[in-house]
Amino acid sequence: MNLKALHKISYGLYVVASRKGERFNGQIANTVFQISGDPPTVAVSINKQNLTNEFIKDSKVFVVSVLAREAPLSLIGQFGFKSGRETDKFAGMEYGTTLSGVPYLTGPVLAYLEARVVEEVDAGTHTIFIGEITGAEVLKEGTPMTYAYYQQIKRGSVPKTAPAFTPKTGERGLQMDKYVCNVCGYVYDPAAGDPEGGVPPGTPFEKLADEWVCPVCGVGKDEFTKEG
């Protein structure tokens, strides 16, 4: 069985947020899709271990922020590789709140959808929350970030709690050595460099400045291991 077949399914990239009392939390999600048009409903799949799952179950509301293609890896790292139990993910972020008091991101975000949970489906490791849309706004025009663009162009990594996570198969490049972040799984590819961090293509890992950090989770070079 070749689970790479799953990679042919199209996804977007979103921040799904909710609240519990006065506390906010959110996470990166790629499994967000429309269920019906009348009434308009959407579904999100959230890992049961994630704090966002707990918040949605408590408040029965969630908001989906649709990320633009230019959203930086640091934003994805903030919501995808840090735990809301240890840090305030919205600290320092540009955001607004809906009428139900749930935050939505602004900045590199095209639109947001607010939904009231009408049904929960147990999907093993995940809960599928089906929500009726209660609010929605287009914040700006642009191209939405797709999961394929995030992985292939931005070379982003995937946390193990993500629905689409599959273990790496150990494939190796034929040119300069790639290095993998031990914390989040981001792969530094010398052929591509790190344009967002000011590192031009063709820069070997060994030539990176000592102060360079992982563009996703922010750890230093000493947390990287040669791939393979």
Side-chain angles (χ1 to χ4, degrees):
M1 180 170 61
N2 188 353
L3 291 179
K4 285 187 176 180
L6 292 170
H7 297 173
K8 305 303 180 183
I9 300 175
S10 297
Y11 299 94
L13 209 62
Y14 315 91
V15 170
V16 176
S18 190
R19 62 174 174 81
K20 186 174 183 179
E22 299 300 316
R23 294 178 61 196
F24 297 153
N25 195 61
Q27 67 165 76
I28 292 292
N30 68 309
T31 312
V32 176
F33 53 96
Q34 184 174 354
I35 297 293
S36 63
D38 187 18
T41 58
V42 294
V44 299
S45 180
I46 305 294
N47 193 288
K48 293 177 180 177
Q49 298 179 20
N50 293 356
L51 188 63
T52 305
N53 189 300
E54 176 186 326
F55 279 26
I56 296 175
K57 283 181 174 290
D58 182 82
S59 66
K60 303 301 182 185
V61 291
F62 62 85
V63 169
V64 177
S65 297
V66 182
L67 296 182
R69 180 178 284 184
E70 63 268 22
L73 284 174
S74 58
L75 183 151
I76 297 170
Q78 175 79 354
F79 286 94
F81 292 93
K82 295 183 179 180
S83 171
R85 296 181 175 90
E86 301 171 355
T87 184
D88 178 2
K89 295 188 182 182
F90 283 90
M93 293 287 174
E94 297 179 11
Y95 69 91
T97 54
T98 65
L99 292 177
S100 61
V102 180
Y104 61 91
L105 291 176
T106 56
V109 171
L110 303 182
Y112 73 84
L113 307 168
E114 180 183 29
R116 174 180 57 85
V117 175
V118 295
E119 187 173 352
E120 298 179 18
V121 179
D122 190 325
T125 58
H126 288 66
T127 304
I128 300 173
F129 296 100
I130 300 174
E132 182 176 343
I133 300 296
T134 57
E137 292 293 342
V138 175
L139 302 180
K140 67 178 182 179
E141 298 300 326
T143 303
M145 175 98 70
T146 65
Y147 200 58
Y149 186 88
Y150 167 66
Q151 288 193 306
Q152 297 169 13
I153 306 301
K154 287 184 172 283
R155 307 178 321 284
S157 49
V158 183
K160 291 183 179 180
T161 55
F165 173 80
T166 54
K168 292 185 180 295
T169 59
E171 295 177 353
R172 183 178 175 85
L174 299 177
Q175 301 178 358
M176 291 179 283
D177 289 322
K178 299 177 182 179
Y179 281 75
V180 183
C181 177
N182 299 326
V183 176
C184 73
Y186 169 81
V187 178
Y188 177 77
D189 181 358
D194 175 21
E196 289 185 7
V199 179
T203 304
F205 184 83
E206 296 80 3
K207 297 293 185 181
L208 292 174
D210 291 339
E211 60 270 20
W212 182 85
V213 296
C214 174
V216 175
C217 69
V219 299
K221 290 174 61 179
D222 57 337
E223 291 288 352
F224 279 73
T225 303
K226 185 185 295 186
E227 188 179 58

